[in-house]
Amino acid sequence: MTKSKTKSDTPLAGRVALVAGATRGAGRAIAVQLGAAGAIVYVTGRTTRERVSELGRSTETIEETGELVDAAGGRGIAVPTDHLVADQVRSLVARIDRDHGRLDILVNDVWGGNPLLDFDTRMWDVELDRGLRMIDLGTRTHIITSSIALPLLVRRPGGLVVEVTDGTARTNQDFRENFYYDLAKNTPIRMAFILGEELRGVGGTAVAVTPGFIRSEEMLDGFGLTEETWRDGIAAQPHWALSESPTYLGRGVAALAADPERDRWNGQSLDSGQLAREYGLTDVDGSRPDVWGYILAEKAAEAATGAGEKPALADYR
């Protein structure tokens, strides 16, 4: 017999969430974990069972994400949406308003810029249209969605905005090896800070969150690995030993959304390891990876010794 969920198992019951960019990776995992906590979750993206985005990944669709939310115990509603097209976002938000009259959680996770990324390439050597497309995907989508969705979110006090990015304000003080990528991943951190100030007066909260070395579907494919064989990649990339499943960040965001005192994080940027420690969470294998903590410790050791004596990887998992 399957044990029925109690109220404590579903702290987000009755809450309405929008996860913009939920086709795969962190966005999908966040949507599923919000559903597991009882939320109604609108999941959006450009890849459906009938149409594939320019990423060319037909293996993940928003319909599948919606079904995974349902299977987790929530209610998943898949709505094909290009978040660069304001009218599509307006239609989406109007539908949420019409169906529920509220929006409690907005997660801006739209990205899709990895195929455009060339690390260690100088700004003037990057084709302009290629760089601007990265900015459009990683920041303009977030701005458009926030502008249109926030009037519904602030209708009730307690709304939460989550900006998903790569790195925290602290870790991203360093050069991110590509001009456009640096801007695309730092802008959501600044958005969370600014929106946090603006939401404070209406009882809302905004935060930026980042996974560590995430084993997304795309990343695993890039390494030629699966979730079952991911450890085979450690030899080629030592930091991969501290990699994490997308579920890890998903659990952290769901716990944050259910925290009645989450406003203490307002305007801040948080990583998956920090969320796990704060809320007593683990990854799917029971570990608690902290690659950002390791990277900071590694840099501190290099600065102190000059020789670069590295901390033990095992101390950060």
Side-chain angles (χ1 to χ4, degrees):
M1 174 183 281
T2 302
K3 181 182 176 182
S4 60
K5 288 190 174 185
T6 66
K7 186 174 181 180
S8 63
D9 295 326
T10 55
L12 299 179
R15 306 281 183 87
V16 179
L18 165 58
V19 182
T23 312
R24 60 185 65 84
R28 169 175 281 190
I30 290 169
V32 171
Q33 294 304 312
L34 291 173
I40 300 165
V41 190
Y42 285 78
V43 297
T44 67
R46 294 174 297 156
T47 295
T48 69
R49 287 177 175 145
E50 288 75 40
R51 186 175 180 181
V52 180
S53 75
E54 76 265 23
L55 290 179
R57 296 187 61 86
S58 60
T59 47
E60 303 99 26
T61 67
I62 58 167
E63 293 95 339
E64 184 180 47
T65 300
E67 290 163 3
L68 289 169
V69 173
D70 288 344
R75 180 182 171 197
I77 304 169
V79 184
T81 308
D82 183 338
H83 286 262
L84 282 171
V85 182
D87 282 346
Q88 290 188 27
V89 180
R90 289 189 184 99
S91 295
L92 165 68
V93 173
R95 175 176 173 177
I96 297 171
D97 190 7
R98 185 170 61 250
D99 291 348
H100 303 284
R102 64 188 295 168
L103 177 63
D104 303 288
I105 303 161
L106 169 62
V107 179
N108 278 319
D109 181 61
V110 181
W111 173 226
N114 286 343
L116 302 168
L117 181 57
D118 299 307
F119 282 124
D120 299 317
T121 304
R122 297 173 302 187
M123 184 266 198
W124 56 92
D125 291 328
V126 177
E127 183 183 348
L128 180 59
D129 287 347
R130 184 181 179 92
L132 291 178
R133 179 65 174 171
M134 203 183 305
I135 298 297
D136 281 348
L137 290 169
T139 65
R140 193 160 170 255
T141 53
H142 293 217
I143 293 168
I144 289 170
T145 305
S146 296
S147 175
I148 295 169
L150 282 174
L152 179 56
L153 183 132
V154 302
R155 191 177 293 173
R156 296 167 179 261
L160 173 66
V161 176
V162 178
E163 286 288 326
V164 183
T165 187
D166 179 21
T168 64
R170 183 180 180 189
T171 62
N172 281 7
Q173 289 176 350
D174 294 330
F175 176 46
R176 292 310 305 268
E177 303 173 272
N178 179 288
F179 175 87
Y180 296 99
Y181 187 78
D182 194 308
L183 288 178
K185 295 307 180 181
N186 273 297
T187 298
I189 295 171
R190 191 65 186 172
M191 280 184 64
F193 173 76
I194 297 167
L195 290 175
E197 291 298 308
E198 295 183 343
L199 288 169
R200 191 189 307 276
V202 292
T205 301
V207 299
V209 301
T210 179
F213 206 156
I214 189 170
R215 296 193 303 272
S216 64
E217 301 90 343
E218 186 178 4
M219 184 68 75
L220 286 168
D221 285 350
F223 273 82
L225 301 169
T226 66
E227 183 59 24
E228 291 68 38
T229 65
W230 70 265
R231 291 173 181 81
D232 294 344
I234 296 172
Q237 168 53 268
H239 286 170
W240 190 243
L242 299 177
S243 65
E244 63 195 54
S245 78
T247 298
Y248 192 47
L249 180 63
R251 287 174 173 174
V253 171
L256 174 71
D259 183 355
E261 298 179 348
R262 61 181 174 273
D263 61 341
R264 71 188 188 276
W265 304 114
N266 193 33
Q268 297 185 42
S269 54
L270 311 167
D271 63 61
S272 52
Q274 182 180 2
L275 288 168
R277 290 190 301 274
E278 175 67 24
Y279 293 110
L281 307 170
T282 64
D283 203 349
V284 292
D285 63 358
S287 69
R288 190 174 289 165
D290 182 15
V291 72
W292 289 116
Y294 177 84
I295 289 171
L296 290 171
E298 187 177 44
K299 289 179 178 177
E302 290 173 356
T305 67
E309 183 179 347
K310 296 182 183 298
L313 285 162
D315 291 341
Y316 291 85
R317 186 166 199 99

